[in-house]
Amino acid sequence: MRILTGIQPSGKLHWGNYFGAMQPSIAMQDQGETFIFIAQYHALTTVRDGAALRQSARDVALDFLACGLDPNKACLFRQADVPEVHELAWLLSTVTPMGLLERCHSYKDKLARGISANHGLFAYPVLMAADILAYQSDCVPVGRDQKQHVEVTRDIAAKFNQAFNCEVFKMPEPRISESVAVIPGLDGQKMSKSYNNTIGLFEDPKTVKQKIMRIETDSTPLEEPKNPDACRVFALYKLFANEAEQAEMRENYLRGGYGYGHAKKALLEIYTRTFAPFREKRLELEANPKLVDDILAAGADKARAVARQTLDAARLACGLD
Ligand code: ADP
Ligand code: TRP
């Protein structure tokens, strides 16, 4: 089984990205042949700063490697190292109905938020389809917000196969990790860099502490029982905790005599404990840039060879050989 996912380098990664996208895709490296790439071209639909894009792409690679991506198991590469996806994106765009793209929620949401649309933003799902189809992916782990794009990919693949009477593209399946479908941010909305409510993966420990301590809670007095399911601190704690730890924390809330301050302290501790080895690994990688360059170069070579084969088959099907 081939598993593929991409992540945009459009800012520092946060807990929502980690639990919604990174952790599930890193876990996949043990389940099949995994490709994980840094979607620079997609980020370009919104980022307007070359130095920042370069740095973010590097940061994403370091973050994945620090958090457990094993380059011997999974192929990690940068999208811009595989130019084949652009030619494929064009071939796909010629069979993509306008209406299919006009219906995409993420495009409509951006318009509704007053972002002036460029063609890249509109054509975004076609490039994403090219990413997915180029590697003959079976399974695409993504957050719920990206599910529609994988469905659009299936539509586009079917249209191409039908139009040229071929079987060039395989039908990919989205994989949404339901238990962690939407990670709440500090304000209770979806955690997102657009809402300024994030906790960064490798943010400095002092800031993490301040952010956790500032999470709004209700005014139930310390001695009274509290509802864990209505509390943002508990929602975040659950992400890090195993079943026994979750049950114990739930019990603390329901019993009373346990304040939100205690829960926040427990959240800070469990995050710190979980991330300590990742922080250490990240420092090691930062000190060894050549190693990271080599991993990305080897990943690009492997990815390019697969994309080339698919592109050649697509070119043949539509008479461009
Ligand atoms: P942001 O909302 O901060 O801009 P992105 O849209 O770049 O984040 O998301 C990158 C990946 O992380 C996607 O697969 C997305 O589904 C996942 N993701 C982002 N935020 C969350 C969240 N709060 N809960 C679950 N998954 C998330
Ligand atoms: N659009 C995805 C996101 O914002 C990133 C992405 C680009 C992607 N191409 C992909 C994800 C292909 C999965 C497969 O999160």
Side-chain angles (χ1 to χ4, degrees), residues 60 94 99 117 185 194 246 274 286 298:
V60 171
T94 62
S194 332
Q246 289 186 33
T274 310
E286 269 175 72

Side-chain angles (χ1 to χ4, degrees), residues 190-223:
K190 175 193 166 202
M191 187 179 285
S192 167
K193 62 180 170 295
S194 332
Y195 303 147
N196 207 6
N197 63 356
T198 62
I199 305 181
L201 275 192
F202 292 99
E203 198 153 359
D204 91 273
K206 235 170 99 184
T207 314
V208 175
K209 181 172 178 186
Q210 281 167 355
K211 286 185 171 180
I212 290 177
M213 293 305 161
R214 278 205 324 259
I215 297 175
E216 225 178 278
T217 47
D218 63 30
S219 53
T220 316
L222 185 133
E223 42 309 328

Side-chain angles (χ1 to χ4, degrees), residues 113-153:
R113 277 196 273 133
I115 295 171
S116 79
N118 52 54
H119 175 253
L121 209 53
F122 183 67
Y124 184 112
V126 183
L127 181 59
M128 184 156 160
D131 290 327
I132 295 171
L133 300 174
Y135 306 104
Q136 303 290 342
S137 317
D138 299 295
C139 167
V140 185
V142 281
R144 199 183 280 167
D145 60 326
Q146 296 294 318
K147 185 168 175 243
Q148 190 189 28
H149 287 156
V150 184
E151 285 159 2
V152 165
T153 299

Side-chain angles (χ1 to χ4, degrees), residues 164-197:
F164 294 102
N165 193 21
C166 64
E167 300 261 325
V168 172
F169 300 118
K170 218 181 208 180
M171 288 296 150
E173 296 283 345
R175 178 159 328 165
I176 318 291
S177 171
E178 288 301 339
S179 59
V180 289
V182 176
I183 314 302
L186 297 169
D187 57 358
Q189 290 190 83
K190 175 193 166 202
M191 187 179 285
S192 167
K193 62 180 170 295
S194 332
Y195 303 147
N196 207 6
N197 63 356

